[in-house]
Amino acid sequence: KTVYDARTGVIPSFRQKGIGKAIFDFMITDFEKNGFEQILLEVISHNTNAIRLYEKLGFKTIRRLIYFEQQKDFEFNPKLNFEIREIYEPDWQLFETFWVGKPSWQNSATALQQTPRKVVLGVFFDGKFIGYGIFFSRTGTIAQISIAEDFRRTSAASILLREMRKRLDTGRNLLAS
């Protein structure tokens, strides 16, 4: 049994006072009493204070995720004619065949299937499904994006990103990890 820590934080003026350690000491004790075997968490690599705390608590880095932020539009010339369609019933097994690596837990198929406000877009070429993207229009967060290997470097992902950007609630940037 696993606990996923989606977000733990301490108000800046109260940091460096042992509060983070106290929170985790309490949580770990409670989780152990309830039969949980592990805790997963993610931390942005430049948050060195949090990383130091997690290491002191016995957490180990098991992989690194890359985080990107797009703040302005980009110019490109599509090489092929792609169509973008919204997908209302995702085929998670098909999506996984496009992956090069595994997404973070919060962006996994298991987690996303239970998440209501996601938008799923498919990329099609000559009627064939060749890629997809899953994002949240309110936050601009991209949970997953992947293109079939034969269609990478053809502007398919760029067209998908442009469509995601069009569907964002106003004033948001696209964020991906």
Side-chain angles (χ1 to χ4, degrees):
K1 288 171 67 175
T2 302
V3 171
Y4 176 74
D5 179 353
R7 183 167 290 156
T8 300
V10 176
I11 296 170
S13 61
F14 288 91
R15 292 180 185 159
Q16 305 292 315
K17 297 179 187 316
I19 294 170
K21 181 179 181 330
I23 290 170
F24 272 90
D25 286 345
F26 175 82
M27 288 192 309
I28 290 168
T29 301
D30 188 60
F31 296 152
E32 287 172 349
K33 283 181 196 173
N34 288 293
F36 289 96
E37 299 166 6
Q38 69 175 348
I39 302 171
L40 294 179
L41 58 80
E42 296 167 9
V43 60
I44 295 174
S45 60
H46 66 266
N47 190 347
T48 55
N49 288 336
I51 292 168
R52 196 168 26 257
L53 169 64
Y54 299 145
E55 288 172 344
K56 284 180 185 175
L57 293 167
F59 286 90
K60 304 268 186 262
T61 301
I62 57 171
R63 69 179 177 152
R64 296 193 183 280
L65 301 171
I66 301 170
Y67 179 87
F68 299 96
E69 182 173 358
Q70 179 197 8
Q71 295 189 359
K72 50 186 164 178
D73 286 324
F74 51 93
E75 296 293 325
F76 66 97
N77 294 317
K79 297 174 181 152
L80 299 170
N81 189 21
F82 297 105
E83 179 185 358
I84 305 294
R85 293 186 225 152
E86 192 155 348
I87 297 175
Y88 299 99
E89 294 187 29
D91 182 340
W92 300 101
Q93 288 182 313
L94 175 60
F95 288 4
E96 193 171 328
T97 66
F98 291 82
W99 294 357
V100 174
K102 287 179 65 177
S104 66
W105 182 88
Q106 70 184 13
N107 294 324
S108 68
T110 301
L112 290 173
Q113 287 174 47
Q114 299 172 45
T115 306
R117 292 188 191 96
K118 64 188 171 290
V119 178
V120 182
L121 299 177
V123 183
F124 296 81
F125 178 72
D126 284 342
K128 178 183 174 188
F129 177 74
I130 58 128
Y132 73 96
I134 303 170
F135 75 108
F136 299 92
S137 61
R138 271 187 47 222
T139 64
T141 301
I142 299 171
Q144 293 185 12
I145 185 169
S146 195
I147 303 296
E149 189 172 358
D150 293 349
F151 286 90
R152 293 181 186 149
R153 305 213 182 292
T154 62
S155 299
S158 296
I159 289 169
L160 183 56
L161 286 168
R162 183 169 62 190
E163 183 63 26
M164 287 177 176
R165 192 165 185 82
K166 282 183 196 174
R167 294 177 183 228
L168 289 177
D169 290 350
T170 57
R172 302 286 183 192
N173 297 317
L174 286 175
L175 307 169
S177 63

